[in-house]
Amino acid sequence: MENTYGQFCTVARGAEVLCERWTPLVVRELLCGSKRFNDLHRGVPRMSTSLLAQRLHRLEEFGVVRRDAVGKVWEYRLTEAGEELRPIVMAIGHWGARWIGSRLRDDELDAGLLMWDMRRFACLPAFPPRAVVIHFQFRDARERERAWWLVVEDGVADLCRDDPGRELTLVVDASVRALTEVWTGDRTPEQALASREIRVDGAKRDAADLWRWLGTSVFAPTRRAAGQTPSAAHS
């Protein structure tokens, strides 16, 4: 009984499945298209691998997730029941963007999660037909997370932790907070560039196109709209 609310109410019973710590974020990763265990873990890097395995197993038990063998690896996919969670998860994200806002503590900033999010939501159709290699340098990230390379070629985006040895298109030097705030819609690129918290080196046209290539978080428009209304005083 300690793991249940002890109520027949379907709100209580649904919350028992979905509201355990980390579970909504695991569902978020599946909704974003991650299928393999390592990719799922990249989206929740502060979650232990053993706990991630437990949560996936529990979601399988309740029919939210299915596990399929693909070659020598397992892939996880949402079932019909899991897909029905999409509008719920999106609504939570938009609600948070509108009413909670960012106001991020330093311990909530995560260069790795930011880069992973930017890679999977990069606006691939906006990139030119040639290969684009963007080197991100974070001034204030943890030692092993200060350098990243985003390589976009033939309609595919790849994120590298090690120098791929390709000719660089752009170099982006930034603080983790500044680039996160641009990504989430709390600041504009122009504001961050003017304050020198972000610097972009490379061909002028490519530097101007960078923000169109990268886009923003799916929740950024809601955050920007909230910042223009009196409700922003609560965020």
Side-chain angles (χ1 to χ4, degrees):
M1 287 292 292
E2 65 273 10
N3 294 324
T4 74
Y5 292 109
Q7 295 187 357
F8 66 82
C9 171
T10 53
V11 173
R13 297 179 68 201
E16 289 168 5
V17 177
L18 299 171
C19 294
E20 288 185 298
R21 181 171 172 80
W22 293 110
T23 297
L25 301 190
V26 174
V27 173
R28 177 199 69 190
E29 291 306 304
L30 290 161
L31 288 168
C32 287
S34 294
K35 296 182 178 66
R36 298 189 176 184
F37 189 90
N38 287 341
D39 287 342
L40 288 164
H41 192 249
R42 291 182 79 172
V44 283
R46 300 188 188 186
M47 184 183 190
S48 71
T49 53
S50 60
L51 184 57
L52 174 58
Q54 290 175 25
R55 293 293 188 264
L56 286 168
H57 180 67
R58 182 166 171 79
L59 289 170
E60 273 191 87
E61 286 184 329
F62 282 95
V64 176
V65 169
R66 75 172 190 269
R67 184 175 59 151
D68 302 317
V70 179
K72 296 182 179 180
V73 300
W74 292 102
E75 289 190 350
Y76 298 86
R77 290 178 172 81
L78 291 167
T79 63
E80 182 181 358
E83 276 294 335
E84 283 194 6
L85 294 170
R86 187 178 296 276
I88 298 171
V89 173
M90 293 297 292
I92 292 172
H94 285 296
W95 181 88
R98 177 170 173 77
W99 295 106
I100 306 300
S102 291
R103 300 182 62 183
L104 295 169
R105 302 190 307 267
D106 288 342
D107 64 353
E108 293 174 324
L109 297 170
D110 189 321
L113 178 57
L114 173 63
M115 291 306 306
W116 180 242
D117 218 28
M118 294 175 73
R119 183 211 68 84
R120 62 185 172 190
F121 291 117
C123 299
L124 296 179
F127 279 79
R130 57 186 165 87
V132 172
V133 182
I134 306 170
H135 178 31
F136 291 85
Q137 300 175 157
F138 290 106
R139 310 163 190 171
D140 53 351
R142 291 185 288 269
E143 182 66 32
R144 295 184 63 253
E145 296 189 345
R146 290 182 180 173
W148 302 82
W149 288 262
L150 180 66
V151 181
V152 179
E153 189 172 17
D154 298 328
V156 176
D158 190 22
L159 184 62
C160 306
R161 296 286 295 273
D162 299 315
D163 189 345
R166 306 283 298 272
E167 181 180 354
L168 298 180
T169 306
L170 293 170
V171 176
V172 179
D173 178 85
S175 70
V176 179
R177 179 176 294 279
L179 194 56
T180 300
E181 290 179 345
V182 169
W183 178 247
T184 58
D186 276 276
R187 303 173 71 182
T188 66
E190 292 75 19
Q191 289 170 331
L193 290 166
S195 67
R196 304 293 290 173
E197 291 169 89
I198 294 179
R199 189 178 71 246
V200 181
D201 295 322
K204 186 175 181 180
R205 181 170 181 178
D206 288 338
D209 285 340
L210 172 66
W211 308 107
R212 185 168 57 87
W213 295 343
L214 297 179
T216 59
S217 162
V218 67
F219 304 113
T222 299
R223 182 68 199 134
R224 286 195 293 265
Q228 297 168 3
T229 65
S231 64
H234 298 286
S235 35

